[in-house]
Amino acid sequence: MAGLNVSIAFFFLVAGVCQALRQLSKRLLSPGAYGCLARELMLMEIGPWGGGFGPDVVLTLLFLLFAVHGVSSDGASANPTVSLQEFLLLESSLAATATKLLAQGAGTGAGWAVTKLYWSWELTHFHLIQNLIASECSSSIHTSLHHAAFVEGICSFFFHLVLLKLRQSHPMYQVPVLAATVTFLTYTAGPFTGAFFNPALAAATTFHCSGSSFWDYAWVYWLGPLAGMLAALFLYQGNIPRLFQKNLLYSQKSKYKIPKARVAVHTEGDEPQRRRKGEKSNSEPPWGRGGGEPNTFA
């Protein structure tokens, strides 16, 4: 219980420091620089600091982490695939997207450094164990390379599909649903790849570990999530606005409705009347109204 209290205290300390730095940067930086740097660079990923606890505790802390992040991050994603999605949706310029990607990489790297410093204090026996094995960490890929890339891609696909569906929703609904989605995907795919589906976080926490090469990590943790994001965007939109505008999946219905013509029959006097069901036709024969036989010629 003491270790859990220390971890929770560390979590709230990091969240408080990030919020203080964001508020400070609002006053010192221009709005554009704040949007690209402060909201991304000040978001420090604290890494898998819940090691040693049971899965229920770790998943609960993960849910709370993403819930607090969604409420307090002021729109920061800390995920390169989300920034690339915004770029492909024409919601962000190339310069702003590149700045976000650099800030996310620097932010996750700084967060990982802070986490290792926190572990070096050895406030709990979990941190002592973590320090002993930190230099000899092993690969988080526990399945074949292609299966691992597929798992990361599927996680990214479902995450971005939910994100696209809820991007216009109120934060009261968006935040818990996204947090629950991330928690569920982590629970499902964690034993195979660690369920990062975040290229920046994966690069900072696992690329330096032995057991897999750099290109193996890049294939799984970079190309996998990127492919999943593209698939989700194409399935949801039917196109990729930055690349092509034509919708290849869904046809757009016209907003103008053409009224249907009323079926009517014309009687003598040109007065339209509806033909009743089962009513016999009273049309006359083509040879006149007298009812006589037609003239015949010998």
Side-chain angles (χ1 to χ4, degrees):
M1 184 60 69
L4 177 60
N5 293 335
V6 170
S7 294
I8 293 176
F10 174 65
F11 165 68
F12 282 107
L13 176 63
V14 171
V17 170
C18 289
Q19 281 299 102
L21 291 175
R22 286 193 190 97
Q23 296 299 324
L24 181 63
S25 63
K26 281 183 179 180
R27 299 183 180 183
L28 298 181
L29 302 178
S30 65
Y34 166 71
C36 295
L37 290 173
R39 295 192 301 176
E40 300 290 346
L41 184 58
M42 303 307 175
L43 179 66
M44 296 187 293
E45 297 287 348
I46 60 178
W49 45 268
F53 304 126
D56 53 343
V57 176
V58 174
L59 292 175
T60 301
L61 293 176
L62 180 64
F63 177 85
L64 293 176
L65 169 65
F66 274 88
V68 172
H69 162 58
V71 172
S72 63
S73 63
D74 197 16
S77 64
N79 191 331
T81 58
V82 176
S83 298
L84 290 175
Q85 175 184 284
E86 295 172 353
F87 173 72
L88 294 175
L89 286 172
L90 304 178
E91 297 177 353
S92 179
S93 65
L94 178 61
T97 302
T99 305
K100 287 181 181 181
L101 296 179
L102 292 175
Q104 287 162 356
T108 51
W112 186 241
V114 170
T115 302
K116 290 193 293 185
L117 176 63
Y118 161 68
W119 283 345
S120 67
W121 296 341
E122 298 181 358
L123 300 179
T124 68
H125 66 280
F126 297 137
H127 299 156
L128 175 61
I129 297 174
Q130 186 66 39
N131 284 332
L132 294 176
I133 65 175
S135 59
E136 300 295 335
C137 64
S138 59
S139 173
S140 55
I141 301 175
H142 302 296
T143 183
S144 65
L145 197 62
H146 296 289
H147 184 224
F150 177 76
V151 168
E152 286 290 310
I154 287 295
C155 289
S156 178
F157 172 80
F158 283 110
F159 171 73
H160 283 277
L161 203 60
V162 174
L163 181 62
L164 287 167
K165 183 66 176 179
L166 298 177
R167 61 177 177 159
Q168 302 296 336
S169 302
H170 193 276
M172 183 176 64
Y173 306 104
Q174 185 185 58
V175 170
V177 172
L178 285 176
T181 301
V182 171
T183 304
F184 173 76
L185 293 175
T186 302
Y187 172 77
T188 305
F192 301 104
T193 62
F196 289 98
F197 50 96
N198 184 329
L201 180 60
T205 57
T206 193
F207 272 40
H208 64 281
C209 295
S210 60
S212 298
S213 66
F214 171 82
W215 295 111
D216 291 342
Y217 286 127
W219 173 265
V220 173
Y221 295 114
W222 286 357
L223 293 182
L226 180 61
M229 180 272 292
L230 291 174
L233 179 59
F234 180 70
L235 180 64
Y236 184 82
Q237 291 280 127
N239 64 352
I240 299 179
R242 179 70 65 175
L243 303 180
F244 57 92
Q245 296 291 333
K246 183 179 180 180
N247 197 311
L248 301 180
L249 296 182
Y250 312 110
S251 59
Q252 296 181 351
K253 296 182 179 180
S254 175
K255 62 180 180 180
Y256 301 104
K257 293 185 178 180
I258 302 177
K260 296 182 179 180
R262 299 178 62 182
V263 179
V265 294
H266 296 274
T267 60
E268 188 176 4
D270 294 331
E271 295 180 1
Q273 296 180 350
R274 289 185 176 275
R275 187 186 300 273
R276 296 180 180 178
K277 185 177 181 181
E279 183 180 357
K280 295 182 178 180
S281 174
N282 58 354
S283 59
E284 298 176 354
W287 51 79
R289 301 176 58 184
E293 295 294 331
N295 295 328
T296 58
F297 298 92

